[in-house]
Structures are given as C-alpha cells and as structure tokens.
Amino acid sequence: MHETKNNSLIILKEIKKTYLLGSTEVNALRGINLNIDRGEYVAIMGPSGSGKSSLMHILGCLDRPSGGHYTLDGRRVDSLNDVQLSHTRNVQIGFVFQNFNLLPQMTVRENVELPMVYSGRHLGERRKISEKYIEQVKLGHRINHLPSELSGGERQRVAIARALVNDPSILMADEPTGNLDTKTGHEIMSIFDEISSSGKTIILVTHEPDIAKHASRVIHILDGLVSSDERRA
C-alpha cells in the first residue's frame, strides 16, 4: 500500500528507540512524529544525548526503531529484513560523514564508484557516472589520487560525489564540516547549497548554528522528542 501523503518523502509516526545498557533501559527516542517533503533542506540539531544521532541512524536505515512506523518514498521500511534494509540504504540514501570514510587504498575514482559496484552497475557506466560527479565537486584533476594525497576539504568533496552517484532520494550528512577549518567548511556547505538548489532532499545533522543556517528548515531534538520545528522563508 502506498502511504505517502502529498509531497512527503519521509513519514515518521511515533518513532521510538530504546537501548539496553546492562539492566538499564535508555529511551533515546520517545515518540518522534515528523514529515519531510521531497526537495527539503533540513538541519537536525540537538545537544549530546538528545537523540539526534539515533534519529539519523533510523532515517538513514542504519538502525531500526524499537517502535513506530517509518515510511520512506511510499514504502514501510521499519519492518524490512536486513537484506531489504541494506538495499534501501544503498539505493535511496547517500551518506556524507564527518570522518569522510574513504578507503585509503582506492583512488578518488574508485572510492566514488564503490556504491555503484554494490548496486551492480557495469564498469563503463560506473566510469561515466563517477567522472560526472567528480567534475561536479571540482576534483577532476585529482581523479587518480589516493585519499592520503588530498586535503580534508578534498576528501569531503570525494565523499559528497560518492554519496550522489546512485542518485539517492536523500543526501544525509552527519557533521560534514566537523573536521574542517572554517573557510573549507563554508566551501563544502556551498556545495550542499548547490545540490539543494537542484531539488535533492538533504538532511543535515549538526550542532553548529552557522551550518544549520544553510537549511530551510531546522528541527531541534531534545530528550528524544522534537522540541521545535522551524521553517525559514
């Protein structure tokens, strides 16, 4: 059954996440209700321990909720098995992490191609698509370099290109400027702004207000619940 409403890409209903630490239950998420539309540029903020990382892991299909319903692009994903969840994650979501998560023995091109290897695309197609996105992040001159030969900003550009190659429904970024100086961080955020202007849905997790200002909607998480949800003109 198709469950999207209007332009909703993500629908969360009463999402809960409970962790067991020894004999103690920790309620990281206590009933999150949230809709995110296609093409929205969303920042999720919250202090340490607020539940924002747990929410990101569930949104990114990296973890399962303990309760509630998660509908992504018309499909209930909270009840998928591990294989289905992995496939959804690979096809629907592109990830950009604070630590870049590049494979050190692979070149820029090989790192960017990797998600397409997992999704079964043939070599010729992978080459064409990877070159397109490497050029988009202005790293064509570094295509055969290893991550160790790149600056932090260049590594994050590679990570962004890699996140885009499967044309995911969502680009999800977890503290993408956390390991970068201010100037380089602004350069990386300008790339996200360009991607957003092309219509891609972006979900950005950050604790930095200056980074969150790039988004058109800022959601604050506190004590496992949405404490505020602000849309900007």
Side-chain angles (χ1 to χ4, degrees):
M1 180 177 175
H2 203 276
E3 295 187 34
T4 51
K5 297 177 183 178
N6 302 322
N7 197 37
S8 294
L9 176 63
I10 287 170
I11 302 172
L12 301 184
K13 293 182 178 178
E14 289 297 316
I15 290 292
K16 299 176 182 178
K17 184 62 183 181
T18 302
Y19 298 98
L20 195 61
L21 296 178
S23 58
T24 304
E25 281 193 352
V26 177
N27 297 311
L29 299 176
R30 299 190 293 125
I32 297 282
N33 292 290
L34 196 62
N35 282 27
I36 296 176
D37 287 345
R38 299 175 196 280
E40 278 203 279
Y41 191 174
V42 179
I44 296 175
M45 300 190 73
S48 178
S50 62
K52 70 178 185 298
S53 293
S54 295
L55 178 58
M56 189 210 76
H57 286 147
I58 288 169
L59 287 170
C61 298
L62 294 165
D63 200 359
R64 303 173 185 276
S66 304
H69 298 163
Y70 174 16
T71 303
L72 171 60
D73 200 14
R75 188 184 191 194
R76 281 278 302 276
V77 296
D78 50 276
S79 57
L80 297 181
N81 65 37
D82 288 346
V83 173
Q84 292 169 324
L85 200 65
S86 177
H87 177 75
T88 300
R89 190 167 59 239
N90 182 249
V91 172
Q92 294 272 57
I93 302 163
F95 293 96
V96 179
F97 295 103
Q98 178 177 343
N99 294 323
F100 321 130
N101 288 6
L102 302 180
L103 295 180
Q105 75 277 17
M106 288 187 168
T107 65
V108 167
R109 185 206 299 273
E110 290 166 338
N111 268 286
V112 172
E113 286 182 0
L114 201 55
M116 294 185 287
V117 174
Y118 296 141
S119 60
R121 302 207 190 190
H122 62 75
L123 179 60
E125 187 179 16
R126 296 200 308 263
R127 286 288 159 91
K128 183 178 179 180
I129 294 172
S130 64
E131 287 175 8
K132 170 189 170 183
Y133 286 105
I134 290 166
E135 290 291 343
Q136 182 176 326
V137 298
K138 299 179 174 60
L139 279 182
H141 62 297
R142 307 288 259 167
I143 197 165
N144 292 314
H145 287 244
L146 295 171
S148 60
E149 300 171 309
L150 306 177
S151 68
E154 287 172 331
R155 292 181 197 182
Q156 196 60 294
R157 288 170 186 263
V158 176
I160 292 169
R162 180 185 59 189
L164 291 171
V165 292
N166 276 336
D167 191 23
S169 301
I170 305 163
L171 180 61
M172 184 163 287
D174 184 14
E175 302 283 4
T177 63
N179 279 343
L180 305 175
D181 61 64
T182 302
K183 178 177 180 294
T184 306
H186 285 309
E187 291 171 356
I188 291 300
M189 290 312 300
S190 72
I191 296 175
F192 281 104
D193 294 346
E194 289 173 15
I195 295 167
S196 174
S197 68
S198 74
K200 183 73 69 181
T201 307
I202 298 176
I203 300 176
L204 177 73
V205 177
T206 183
H207 68 278
E208 300 180 61
D210 284 350
I211 299 302
K213 284 178 183 177
H214 287 261
S216 57
R217 180 182 179 189
V218 180
I219 298 166
H220 286 266
I221 304 297
L222 186 64
D223 296 331
L225 293 167
V226 174
S227 62
S228 67
D229 186 349
E230 173 191 357
R231 284 181 168 86
R232 298 173 178 175

